[in-house]
Each structure stands twice: as structure tokens, then as C-alpha cells.
Amino acid sequence: MAVIAGHRGVAGSSPENTLAGLDRAVELGLEWVEFDTFLTKDHQPIVFHDEHLERCTNGSGKATEYTLAQLHSLDAGAWFAPSFAGQALPSLRQYLIHAKKLGLKLNLEMKYHNQPRQQLVEAVVAEIAHCDFPLDRLLISSFDHQLLLFMHRHASQFDLAQLYEEIPENWQQQLQDINALACHCDYKALSVAQAKQIKLAGYRLSTYTVNEPTEITALLPWLDMVISDFPERFNEPMSTS
């Protein structure tokens, strides 16, 4: 049975990558939530997805050109619905603390926005340690293979997942190089044959961002996790039999 995880919190019914999204995940009875982090101008990990601020806040410009304090002052909820006005962009520390309090498991995606990879990895590791977040409730993922290589070499205690849009020919070598636990990919570019290969090679397999359950019927027997903006649409048990 595949686990259903919320995408960027629960992006379909709450402003993405906010503490409100974590609360919504609990309301829906979710076990896992996926979210994004990268560094601010003053090298603090912020929970946000886009390189630019316009889509999800009342700010403008590149998020990486603002300090953590400046980003905290922005409204990250009103764009989604008036009832969420005043939601702030959380720091990674705030997000981890709140998720830990709620008992959620986290898929932390490190976003590469042309920042020093070592600095991002070290900041993420430091915040996880500061919050004493249970490592058995945490999965680190990224599209950037170099970030995951650095994480594996310098913080091998973490479970890692390589993110892909399309599965490359050298996927197995890349997963071996980071001792990956899982492979995460866009379901639209994933064939049943590829899914079988990944599972038979011993890796967990997740797909994003699946918002209609019928879209993954053929893939479902091979999936361990399905990441969705609308996890509540998967209201029937997802059998793989």
C-alpha cells in the first residue's frame, strides 16, 4: 500500500510551505509531508520553493537576496485565501519544531538556487541537530545530485532520495553513489518498466505531484509513496494487489 504524502505541506488546501500546511496535514490524518528549503541572504535555511517571491508572497524579487528577518515580515498566506492572511515564511527551525510537535514525518527537499552547496548542507544538518528531529522520521531529497553527494559524504546518517523529472540512463549509478534509500520522479515521465527496474534494484519509489488517483493506476503496484497537493482525494485505501 502506497503512503500518501502532502506536497509542500498540503498545497491544495493551504498556502504551501507554511506552518498552516502542517496543521492541515494533521487534520487530514497524513503521516508524511514534503517541503522545500534553501538559504537566505544571511545564510539561514528558509522554507520556501520558488526562486522568486511574487507567486506565494506579497514580496518581489529573488528570495535569496533577502535576509531571514526580511522574509519573515512578508505575508505568505493572503495570496491563497483571506483566511490565511498573516502566515509567515517559516525558517527551517520553526518548521522542524512544529512538525516534531505534531508527530509528522518529513521529506525535506533541498533546493539548489545557485548557492554554495556545502553551506546549504551544513546549515540543514545543523538545524536538524538543533531541533533533535528524529532521523527515522526524515528523508532528504534533491534534484541536485551534487548536493546529495556532499550530504552522503559528510552526513551519512541521513536517508537520501534522488529526485528526477525523467529517469536518466545512469540512474542506478547515481543512486548507488549516494547510497540512496529512494528514487522520486514525475509520474508523467515514469513508465511501468522503469518503475519495475527501480523496485527490483532495491529502492523505494515515489511519484510527484499526483492530484488525480486515476492517473497512476498502472504504476500503483510499484509505488511506495505518492506525493499530492490533494491527498484527501485518495480517500480510499490504495491497494497494490
Side-chain angles (χ1 to χ4, degrees), residues 75-231:
D75 190 313
W79 70 274
F80 187 86
S83 59
F84 290 105
Q87 280 288 312
L89 273 68
S91 66
L92 178 57
R93 181 175 299 185
Q94 290 172 318
Y95 204 84
L96 291 172
I97 289 172
H98 197 57
K100 182 179 177 181
K101 178 181 177 182
L102 296 175
L104 289 167
K105 296 180 181 180
L106 297 177
N107 174 5
L108 184 163
E109 180 185 340
M110 295 188 295
K111 303 296 293 185
Y112 179 60
H113 291 319
N114 295 310
Q115 298 174 295
R117 291 180 175 90
Q118 179 175 344
Q119 199 168 58
L120 173 57
V121 168
E122 290 176 348
V124 167
V125 171
E127 290 303 280
I128 293 168
H130 177 87
C131 298
D132 194 26
F133 196 91
L135 299 192
D136 61 354
R137 304 179 71 85
L138 183 67
L139 179 65
I140 307 290
S141 64
S142 184
F143 284 99
D144 189 83
H145 188 61
Q146 296 303 313
L147 270 173
L148 294 178
L149 278 173
F150 190 88
M151 176 70 81
H152 172 58
R153 292 168 181 166
H154 298 276
S156 60
Q157 67 271 32
F158 293 99
D159 289 332
L160 303 181
Q162 179 68 55
L163 270 161
Y164 295 117
E165 291 182 357
E166 296 184 3
I167 304 296
E169 291 185 3
N170 66 335
W171 66 268
Q172 194 159 7
Q173 185 62 57
Q174 288 196 335
L175 296 185
Q176 289 175 353
D177 287 346
I178 62 171
N179 192 28
L181 177 71
C183 176
H184 294 187
C185 57
D186 187 340
Y187 76 97
K188 295 177 182 177
L190 179 67
S191 69
V192 171
Q194 288 171 323
K196 289 180 180 179
Q197 288 180 334
I198 292 166
K199 287 299 297 176
L200 292 173
Y203 299 102
R204 295 183 190 177
L205 179 60
S206 301
T207 53
Y208 68 88
T209 305
V210 187
N211 291 334
E212 295 296 339
T214 55
E215 295 177 331
I216 57 165
T217 301
L219 290 169
L220 188 56
W222 307 98
L223 299 181
D224 296 284
M225 182 179 287
V226 177
I227 301 170
S228 178
D229 292 326
F230 298 95

Side-chain angles (χ1 to χ4, degrees), residues 8 16 48-50 52-57 59 79-80:
R8 302 180 194 170
E16 63 183 57
F48 198 61
H49 176 272
D50 294 3
H52 291 83
L53 293 166
E54 287 83 353
R55 184 176 66 88
C56 293
T57 77
W79 70 274
F80 187 86

